[in-house]
Amino acid sequence: MINNQFLKGLAIAFMALFVVSCDKDYNSIGSDIVGNEHFTFGDGELFGVRAYSQKTGAIQTNNLPLNQLGVLNSPTFGLTKAHFVTQLEMVTANPEFDASAAIDSVVLTVPYFSKKVETEASGRSIYKLDSVYGWSISNKMDLRVYENGYYLKEFDPNNNFGVQKYYSDEKALFSSNKIGTTTPNNPNMDNRLNDWIDPNPKDPTRLNDDKRENLLFYPNEREYVKYKVNESFVQTTEIESRNSPRLRMKLNEKHFKDKIINAPAGKLVNNSVFKEYFRGLYFEIEGSSGALMTLNFKQGDVTIYYKQNKSATSTDKVMKEFRFNLLGNTVNVHENTFDAGYVSALNAPIDPVEGSSSLYIKGGEGSGAFISILNDQEKAKLKGNIINGAFLTFSIDRSKMGTSTEPNRVSLYNADSNIPLYDFYFDGTTNASDPKTNKYVYGGMIEKEAVGSDKKGVRYKINITEHVNNVVNKDSTNVKLGLIVNENINYVGNSFIRTSFNTPNPDNKKVDRFPSNSVMSPLGTVLYGTHSSVPVDKRVQFKVYYTKPN
């Protein structure tokens, strides 16, 4: 027992020692992100592997930690439009508005994921947006915000009052029940709530940002500066705060005056009643141009700025705020026009022995891959040996990916029980500056060309040492593995598929859910598969480094 513990500790020490080394057969490949770790214990030995892709179909998208909003045109996978619905919650319930209350503005704010890259001498910060795809000043989109008219239930009365599920293909529920302002401020505006244009923008250097945010939307990487307001309620040039970039829109004041300030008695008494009365906001994308953003809407809010008499006996005004957080139930709905090549690849026959020649892995309402390793003969060969390292390596098919945006990470999971592999839990590594790269010993992060202006992705490599050791030496079940795009390695959870399916023979495994990490990602990749038609150096590689005990 003591010897086993010593050897186990020795293996872990070796893994840490070689964390920055690279396999000799890939020494021309580098990476511009954390995670280019390869552990070598001798040359290792290749073992058989079989893999194929499967589409998810419509998938559960309610109450995800992160959501997508916008448009993504992928030459490989097609067009995706992501719409979003969220309930609101009052920060302070049962407010008291009097007859003098007059709205100054209503502002919707949602921070982008961003990184500060520089602070200028003036104090202005320069940011780079993260998790925004297809971003460009010229690539504007038609983003419309409405009051949501469809009530999002907590529990499903048609399923023994279990948790209510909403799916990616349910856009009609919300588009047919949207509520807008009945008196648009501007012509040809549909009845959206974000119909506001400032005729006299206070800061001409911002190039009519208010108009851009409301009508010709594109994500802005500029820091948001909040200016102080004087006693006459006039904005000054004195800076109150500097903030990271954020989606910021002004919403129709009359609509919120009618619905909130002049709400019928009892409708704002608590958030349960309020959510039935005001059913949230619906963000809808029109057209097929723009960018796609991954956002944490729970960090957003809607704030009503209003003036009101100081007291019942005074006509002097005071500025007040009434804020809603974007909390409560949420749903992401997708409109997909899939590329014909992607559809054809997912519908192609799967060789029951060799698997597929290509693996299409896509987030959202997309696809994943299923992988088999270690037949009985291979398990017998490895049994009793010390498993120093075991890795699955997936090469990217550059000819099929073209210019499509690549996901930064893929991951494996136990597809029999829909949980992460033991290696995921075993890895406690973290990166404080970029939490998305946590668990970098486990790996799965994209490795890119070391040279070249575009530095295209070359491969993904995942550490499954503990999993293989458990299967070989601890009689754990040799489960089927699932491969997905992973938007956030720190989240563990599953989303149900609307229509479950069985994997093809000889597996014949029922699949009724996928990891939610895949659902939160808008991106996809094409990997070389395991079929003999794929060149040997491009096929999925399963390599094990092991030591025979003395």
Side-chain angles (χ1 to χ4, degrees), residues 323-380:
R323 191 168 78 252
F324 307 89
N325 290 328
L326 304 188
L327 299 176
N329 293 312
T330 64
V331 182
N332 230 161
V333 289
H334 302 156
E335 287 183 277
N336 294 298
T337 306
F338 291 125
D339 179 80
Y342 175 47
V343 174
S344 177
L346 292 178
N347 292 331
I350 296 169
D351 189 305
V353 176
E354 296 186 349
S356 299
S357 58
S358 294
L359 304 179
Y360 283 75
I361 316 298
K362 183 187 180 301
E365 186 179 317
S367 53
F370 293 97
I371 301 168
S372 300
I373 59 172
L374 293 175
N375 60 34
D376 291 341
Q377 183 179 355
E378 292 170 330
K379 285 173 59 180

Side-chain angles (χ1 to χ4, degrees), residues 296-534:
N296 183 352
F297 279 91
K298 291 179 175 57
Q299 294 180 348
D301 60 66
V302 173
T303 302
I304 300 176
Y305 298 92
Y306 67 101
K307 302 183 186 78
Q308 186 169 285
N309 290 345
K310 284 185 177 180
S311 66
T313 59
S314 173
T315 58
D316 292 337
K317 301 290 184 181
V318 61
M319 182 69 79
K320 293 190 173 186
E321 300 178 8
F322 186 67
R323 191 168 78 252
F324 307 89
N325 290 328
L326 304 188
L327 299 176
N329 293 312
T330 64
V331 182
N332 230 161
V333 289
H334 302 156
E335 287 183 277
N336 294 298
T337 306
F338 291 125
D339 179 80
Y342 175 47
V343 174
S344 177
L346 292 178
N347 292 331
I350 296 169
D351 189 305
V353 176
E354 296 186 349
S356 299
S357 58
S358 294
L359 304 179
Y360 283 75
I361 316 298
K362 183 187 180 301
E365 186 179 317
S367 53
F370 293 97
I371 301 168
S372 300
I373 59 172
L374 293 175
N375 60 34
D376 291 341
Q377 183 179 355
E378 292 170 330
K379 285 173 59 180
K381 179 178 182 178
L382 288 170
K383 191 170 183 63
N385 294 311
I386 300 168
I387 308 300
N388 301 312
F391 304 90
L392 275 167
T393 302
F394 305 89
S395 295
I396 298 171
D397 188 337
R398 293 254 47 94
S399 65
K400 289 186 170 66
M401 278 298 291
T403 59
S404 293
T405 304
E406 300 178 285
N408 283 328
R409 196 165 197 170
V410 299
S411 65
L412 290 166
Y413 68 101
N414 177 337
D416 284 1
S417 55
N418 300 296
I419 59 174
L421 299 184
Y422 185 67
D423 296 84
F424 172 92
Y425 294 111
F426 188 74
D427 183 5
T429 56
T430 60
N431 179 9
S433 64
D434 188 0
K436 283 188 176 183
T437 63
N438 288 347
K439 298 185 180 294
Y440 48 80
V441 171
Y442 171 63
M445 287 170 284
I446 193 168
E447 298 176 22
K448 297 183 177 181
E449 297 168 332
V451 295
S453 59
D454 52 3
K455 291 188 177 181
K456 292 293 187 180
V458 176
R459 67 173 185 171
Y460 300 91
K461 185 173 183 179
I462 303 177
N463 181 353
I464 58 170
T465 305
E466 295 303 317
H467 172 71
V468 170
N469 185 57
N470 288 341
V471 170
V472 170
N473 291 320
K474 297 183 180 180
D475 296 322
S476 294
T477 303
N478 187 18
V479 299
K480 185 165 294 302
L481 306 179
L483 179 70
I484 58 163
V485 173
N486 195 311
E487 174 64 24
N488 188 335
I489 196 69
N490 306 297
Y491 180 77
V492 176
N494 291 296
S495 297
F496 283 88
I497 298 168
R498 180 188 285 282
T499 304
S500 62
F501 60 86
N502 282 10
T503 55
N505 289 324
D507 297 336
N508 197 31
K509 167 186 163 44
K510 182 179 180 180
V511 179
D512 64 359
R513 69 198 76 182
F514 259 57
S516 299
N517 261 321
S518 175
V519 185
M520 291 187 284
S521 174
L523 304 179
T525 187
V526 187
L527 310 170
Y528 287 102
T530 55
H531 196 271
S532 60
S533 60
V534 177

Side-chain angles (χ1 to χ4, degrees), residues 40-97:
T40 59
F41 305 88
D43 290 334
E45 183 175 343
L46 292 175
F47 287 82
V49 56
R50 171 176 169 266
Y52 55 87
S53 305
Q54 295 274 266
K55 63 182 177 182
T56 67
I59 195 163
Q60 182 187 359
T61 55
N62 56 310
N63 298 328
L64 296 169
L66 302 175
N67 293 98
Q68 303 166 30
L69 179 66
V71 180
L72 183 65
N73 275 295
S74 166
T76 306
F77 297 97
L79 173 69
T80 294
K81 292 199 290 185
H83 318 279
F84 178 69
V85 187
T86 180
Q87 292 177 323
L88 305 183
E89 288 189 355
M90 299 178 290
V91 173
T92 304
N94 204 23
E96 294 183 1
F97 304 112

Side-chain angles (χ1 to χ4, degrees), residues 158-227:
N158 298 317
N159 189 26
N160 297 319
F161 289 93
V163 175
Q164 177 69 49
K165 300 181 184 68
Y166 293 98
Y167 294 89
S168 56
D169 62 348
E170 295 189 286
K171 179 178 183 289
L173 284 180
F174 308 104
S175 61
S176 62
N177 287 283
K178 58 192 178 186
I179 301 171
T181 173
T182 57
T183 56
N185 290 349
N186 303 283
N188 304 316
M189 288 291 294
D190 189 30
N191 60 345
R192 67 180 77 178
L193 298 183
N194 58 321
D195 66 343
W196 187 89
I197 300 176
D198 187 351
N200 300 297
K202 299 179 178 64
D203 184 356
T205 65
R206 293 181 65 84
L207 302 176
N208 286 321
D209 269 3
D210 289 319
K211 178 178 179 180
R212 174 192 54 74
E213 293 274 18
N214 281 64
L215 301 183
L216 301 172
F217 179 84
Y218 68 90
N220 193 340
E221 60 186 352
R222 185 194 300 266
E223 74 171 4
Y224 167 61
V225 179
K226 185 176 182 180
Y227 295 93

